[in-house]
Amino acid sequence: MAAVQQLQGVGSASAALLEKLNIFTTDDLLFHLPRDYEDRSTIIPMNQLEVGRSYLLEGTVKSVDFPPGKRKSMAILLDDELGKVTLRFYHLYKALTDRGKVGNRLRVFGEVRVGARGLEMYHPEIQLITEHTPLPQTQLTAIYPATDGLTQTKLREYVKHALKQHSDDLPELLPQKFTNGYALKQALHYIHEPPLDANMLQLSQGSHPAQQRLIFEELVAHQVSLLTRRAYIQQIAAPSFTNSKTFAKQLLTALPFKMTAAQKRVSKEISDDLKQHKPMLRLVQGDVGAGKTLVAALAACHALEEGWQVALMAPTEILAEQHYLNFKRWFEPLGLNVAWLSGKQKGKARALAEQQIQQGSAQLVIGTHALFQDSVAFHKLGLVIIDEQHRFGVDQRLALRNKGAQQTTPHQLVMTATPIPRTLAMSAYGDLDTSVIDELPPGRTPIQTVTIPLDRREEVLQRIASNCAEGKQAYWVCTLVEQSETLDAQAAEATYAEIKHRFPTLNIGLVHGKMKADDKQAVMQQFKNNELQLLIATTVIEVGVDVPNASIMVIENAERLGLSQLHQLRGRVGRGAKASFCALLYKNPLSQNGQERLRIMRETNDGFIIAEKDLEIRGPGELLGTKQTGDMGFRVAKLERDDHLLNQAHYVAQQILKDYPVQANALLKRWLPEAPRYAYV
Ligand code: ADP
Ligand code: MG
């Protein structure tokens, strides 16, 4: 391995550009893998083109014209009987005008884009041919992730040199039986410079054995990283809590219902963890309405009873408020003080809360991200509960370590209502143990879901109004295409005004993210008290809002929302014994994806099935949120494609950590050079 500057042709300017791609050494170059390939040896029918990719096309010139405009240009319409592509040229020269004559047969190579005339190519390479012109015999050409000023040609040249001069020194880090018969050097050669007979389809799908070999190695490296982090955290001391006798019992007797078997099982898993002297790292998954809050409250009892503080963090103000109210209701009767902390809270209230937290007179602290700002110091923090994990990044979770007391780190309980398919959980949260609440409290009737085009909105509105007049409670959720709480708020306000005007006798409320916390809370409380029958809302009510008596949910422009968001929203109803109903209003025409999403919503209420479908449709990046994928940062692996390798990668990572620590470390360096390092113990 050498610094890139040592390579022929790489000066300091190029080295600076390479640095932008995180390429510092020849090894980095070798592992800078193609994102795609160009195939200049196969003619592609014009009805099979994807925008953004480069193709070799062949066809007959149907027309030539010189469109008016500031710059002189030429447009050639090429036709192969299956499709048409317009070729545009802004630099005109004699050979080009000679070739561009109606009736000529041309072979062209270039990237397909969408222009004013449909599919177009700008300045393709162009060749005049006859029936006998042979096809070029060239191999696939790699296309790399690049950066401004660094051309594909340059990158290819650098990689070529690196392959020639430095691929021999690359150490093999995987046991041979997991290499698919490809030595590392061979695999890299194949991927960077595929041979003439290479299978383009396999390579562009990432399913070629040479690629799979690298993918497996990368997955192993990720597992090594997660296992290392976990081991590091587990050797830090944590307070040990025995089972709560008093608080848990008091809490449970005050409840109007009994715990489900699943809640009991998961609670036991948590209390077993809390007895250890090492920090618990547990993810509790449970579909919306499964009763995660109670499980969290029971966990809190164990810490509280031994005099430790408990913090509960939620991703939105409205959800945090709900927890605050719940926990106050449950814990104040036990003589405990529950503090509230949010980003919006300022001045005296804030100072008082921080003081109580620091002195320990607040035993429970509920809030948003604000909980983990530097200014917040805990007296004796023993347990941290995070609701709706997928909105927080791994870094934020790790930041909690520093909030522990007396050289200890708090236990962590993470709750998510987005059921994460097992394989995905394993790679995103490989450092967490998981528990699943796989049972809903009894007496719930399944939600009936219908999809209705927006032009029947009036009809829906009338029906909702008459249902509300009969005393049922309904949500009406407004969404806009932009992910903007401001615009959503405006839409909700407009809808509120409209419905209020149309149905003056109905009790209607409005909540959105731009309202003051107190106002929001007041409206939610009125809705909860059944003083309001119809609640107009934005997606702020997506998570956690719990009003068991509400049984109708209307979502406008449902086609704009992803599956997990729709499932979350729908989960606001179906929480009581009443039969519940959900209407998804959509705007025509629906994209294929949109149709698919709405169909799934109609057909199932099962969060796990919905999550699997979501993973299929959107991929893990969006499912987990950008933060998480940023953390995952795979170079060659794609979880939705390669998840079948995860179990084995996990196993191999364990073996390597145990028997070959040097290799384990080298794997981390090779695949995750940016990630923080933890000592493996
Ligand atoms: P989630 O898992 O979505 O956070 P919650 O904790 O908000 O669900 O619980 C949903 C509703 O179910 C709440 O009204 C809660 O009081 C109620 N609940 C929780 N556990 C039970 C149970 N074992 N039996 C009946 N109702 C329950
Ligand atoms: Mg919840």
Side-chain angles (χ1 to χ4, degrees):
M1 177 170 58
V4 278
Q5 282 94 330
Q6 313 270 307
L7 279 180
Q8 195 187 324
V10 181
S12 57
S14 306
L17 290 170
L18 286 167
E19 262 182 42
K20 286 196 190 166
L21 298 168
N22 280 325
I23 299 172
F24 302 90
T25 65
T26 51
D27 277 12
D28 296 338
L29 253 181
L30 291 172
F31 284 94
H32 190 64
L33 299 169
R35 64 172 165 80
D36 204 351
Y37 295 89
E38 279 175 10
D39 182 358
R40 292 164 172 265
S41 62
T42 317
I43 291 159
I44 305 297
M46 291 188 201
N47 59 351
Q48 290 178 20
L49 308 180
E50 277 175 46
V51 174
R53 297 191 61 149
S54 298
Y55 296 100
L56 187 70
L57 306 178
E58 214 174 276
T60 309
V61 176
K62 284 287 160 188
S63 70
V64 178
D65 65 315
F66 297 86
K70 272 197 217 129
R71 271 175 82 189
K72 191 163 192 268
S73 70
M74 176 177 176
I76 299 175
L77 182 67
L78 199 66
D79 182 312
D80 74 349
E81 249 118 69
L82 292 166
K84 294 181 182 40
V85 170
T86 299
L87 316 175
R88 280 192 196 266
F89 298 89
Y90 289 93
H91 309 290
L92 306 187
Y93 48 97
K94 170 116 185 12
L96 174 66
T97 37
D98 283 349
R99 290 172 207 166
K101 295 231 159 72
V102 173
N104 278 354
R105 276 196 77 70
L106 299 179
R107 191 177 284 161
V108 301
F109 185 86
E111 186 185 321
V112 172
R113 306 198 209 170
V114 178
R117 299 186 181 181
L119 295 184
E120 302 192 353
M121 276 185 183
Y122 288 72
H123 290 280
E125 296 162 32
I126 155 170
Q127 184 191 10
L128 186 63
I129 53 162
T130 66
E131 270 164 44
H132 308 293
T133 311
L135 268 177
Q137 283 291 310
T138 63
Q139 57 190 79
L140 296 176
T141 316
I143 307 172
Y144 294 102
T147 182
D148 274 351
L150 199 58
T151 59
Q152 292 293 335
T153 324
K154 280 246 170 76
L155 271 168
R156 276 174 213 143
E157 183 192 315
Y158 300 158
V159 171
K160 190 182 223 39
H161 290 313
L163 277 170
K164 208 180 268 154
Q165 293 160 23
H166 296 279
S167 59
D168 283 332
D169 338 328
L170 280 175
E172 292 286 344
L173 301 176
L174 281 187
Q176 206 191 341
K177 65 177 166 185
F178 297 111
T179 57
N180 274 352
Y182 277 91
L184 180 60
K185 176 182 163 179
Q186 250 182 318
L188 288 172
H189 262 283
Y190 198 103
I191 292 166
H192 285 296
E193 300 182 336
L196 273 177
D197 63 352
N199 182 331
M200 173 74 173
L201 189 67
Q202 270 192 339
L203 277 173
S204 63
Q205 289 175 342
S207 60
H208 190 278
Q211 291 167 309
Q212 289 278 304
R213 182 227 180 280
L214 286 188
I215 287 165
F216 185 71
E217 185 172 319
E218 181 171 42
L219 292 173
V220 170
H222 267 258
Q223 292 296 323
V224 165
S225 157
L226 290 168
L227 287 167
T228 315
R229 185 163 68 197
R230 182 187 165 85
Y232 170 78
I233 292 175
Q234 292 216 323
Q235 48 85 46
I236 304 172
S240 142
F241 306 133
T242 50
N243 274 358
S244 154
K245 304 254 156 38
T246 324
F247 289 165
K249 199 165 162 202
Q250 278 180 284
L251 178 71
L252 289 175
T253 24
L255 290 177
F257 49 74
K258 290 216 161 48
M259 291 176 83
T260 63
Q263 282 172 318
K264 281 189 194 154
R265 190 188 69 240
V266 172
S267 294
K268 166 109 177 31
E269 285 164 0
I270 293 170
S271 62
D272 286 347
D273 283 353
L274 293 177
K275 289 187 189 116
Q276 313 292 317
H277 288 273
K278 56 187 186 188
M280 166 173 76
L281 289 168
R282 188 168 285 279
L283 176 73
V284 172
Q285 297 187 51
D287 208 347
V288 287
K292 293 183 289 295
T293 321
L294 177 61
V295 169
L298 274 178
C301 288
H302 307 308
L304 294 166
E305 196 151 311
E306 303 212 359
W308 289 75
Q309 285 173 301
V310 176
L312 191 161
M313 171 164 77
T316 67
E317 191 121 329
I318 203 160
L319 176 54
E321 278 158 17
Q322 289 239 342
H323 282 313
Y324 175 61
L325 296 175
N326 254 332
F327 278 67
K328 253 168 88 113
R329 183 159 53 89
W330 286 340
F331 286 100
E332 278 181 355
L334 310 185
L336 296 168
N337 183 16
V338 186
W340 166 250
L341 202 71
S342 92
K344 289 194 185 140
Q345 192 182 32
K346 297 266 143 50
K348 264 197 195 147
R350 173 71 179 239
L352 181 67
E354 284 187 9
Q355 193 193 355
Q356 290 183 336
I357 295 166
Q358 188 162 15
Q359 292 172 348
S361 57
Q363 289 89 0
L364 267 154
V365 186
I366 320 281
T368 56
H369 297 78
L371 278 181
F372 298 103
Q373 282 165 4
D374 289 340
S375 64
V376 183
F378 288 82
H379 175 63
K380 208 179 167 191
L381 182 59
L383 168 67
V384 172
I385 301 165
I386 306 177
D387 200 4
E388 308 299 339
Q389 157 70 11
H390 62 294
R391 294 176 174 234
F392 295 108
V394 171
D395 293 344
Q396 275 167 310
R397 224 172 62 217
L398 288 177
L400 306 179
R401 276 213 323 264
N402 310 327
K403 297 283 182 190
Q406 302 163 4
Q407 317 298 316
T408 65
T409 197
H411 295 281
Q412 285 182 38
L413 179 64
V414 172
M415 301 189 293
T416 174
T418 304
I420 299 157
R422 208 184 62 79
T423 48
L424 189 53
M426 207 168 116
S427 46
Y429 309 115
D431 57 336
L432 297 179
D433 295 306
T434 49
S435 298
V436 183
I437 308 184
D438 50 5
E439 179 186 3
L440 292 179
R444 305 255 169 101
T445 43
I447 306 162
Q448 191 203 342
T449 301
V450 297
T451 51
I452 303 174
L454 258 179
D455 48 26
R456 287 174 50 204
R457 180 176 184 270
E458 180 58 29
E459 198 183 310
V460 175
L461 187 53
Q462 294 287 352
R463 281 198 41 198
I464 301 298
S466 68
N467 270 294
C468 287
E470 288 165 16
K472 290 206 176 121
Q473 286 187 284
Y475 296 94
W476 187 289
V477 180
C478 303
T479 63
L480 279 179
V481 74
E482 285 88 352
Q483 286 295 321
S484 149
E485 185 58 37
T486 309
L487 292 177
D488 274 356
Q490 285 169 8
E493 273 169 6
T495 307
Y496 174 72
E498 173 204 348
I499 301 183
K500 194 147 185 77
H501 176 72
R502 300 267 314 277
F503 303 96
T505 54
L506 277 189
N507 298 316
I508 309 180
L510 169 71
V511 279
H512 59 62
K514 292 277 146 186
M515 286 164 58
K516 285 213 190 85
D518 286 350
D519 297 343
K520 255 187 302 186
Q521 198 171 308
V523 175
M524 288 310 302
Q525 197 55 49
Q526 282 178 308
F527 191 58
K528 212 164 180 153
N529 296 347
N530 204 356
E531 292 155 26
L532 299 172
Q533 276 72 54
L534 183 59
L535 186 66
I536 315 292
T538 59
T539 52
V540 295
I541 59 152
E542 171 190 344
V543 283
V545 167
D546 183 39
V547 180
N549 189 53
S551 61
I552 300 170
M553 166 68 59
V554 181
I555 304 174
E556 270 196 270
N557 298 112
E559 80 282 0
R560 291 171 174 172
L561 300 181
L563 272 177
S564 65
Q565 213 177 0
L566 287 170
H567 180 63
Q568 289 289 324
L569 280 169
R570 181 173 61 182
R572 297 313 107 213
V573 296
R575 305 189 143 232
K578 274 208 188 89
S580 291
F581 179 79
C582 172
L584 303 174
L585 298 186
Y586 63 89
K587 187 162 172 200
N588 272 318
L590 276 177
S591 69
Q592 204 175 349
N593 242 332
Q595 280 179 31
E596 177 71 1
R597 284 197 301 270
L598 295 184
R599 183 184 63 77
I600 293 163
M601 289 301 292
R602 263 196 321 266
E603 288 176 2
T604 182
N605 274 306
D606 184 326
F608 278 85
I609 295 178
I610 290 175
E612 291 282 356
K613 295 286 181 193
D614 210 18
L615 180 64
E616 260 169 45
I617 295 179
R618 298 199 301 167
E622 291 187 66
L623 189 58
L624 293 171
T626 43
K627 256 199 191 108
Q628 293 291 350
T629 27
D631 284 338
M632 284 155 71
F634 287 112
R635 282 199 233 168
V636 282
K638 281 204 178 114
L639 287 179
E640 65 272 38
R641 175 190 66 207
D642 304 317
D643 59 356
H644 62 283
L645 297 173
L646 272 172
N647 274 326
Q648 199 166 38
H650 186 77
Y651 170 77
V652 171
Q654 283 173 326
Q655 299 304 310
I656 291 182
L657 274 169
K658 189 157 70 86
D659 298 332
Y660 306 98
V662 177
Q663 277 87 335
N665 210 26
L667 275 171
L668 290 178
K669 270 218 184 98
R670 177 179 286 171
W671 292 99
L672 299 147
E674 309 274 290
R677 291 291 145 70
Y678 304 99
Y680 187 78
V681 277

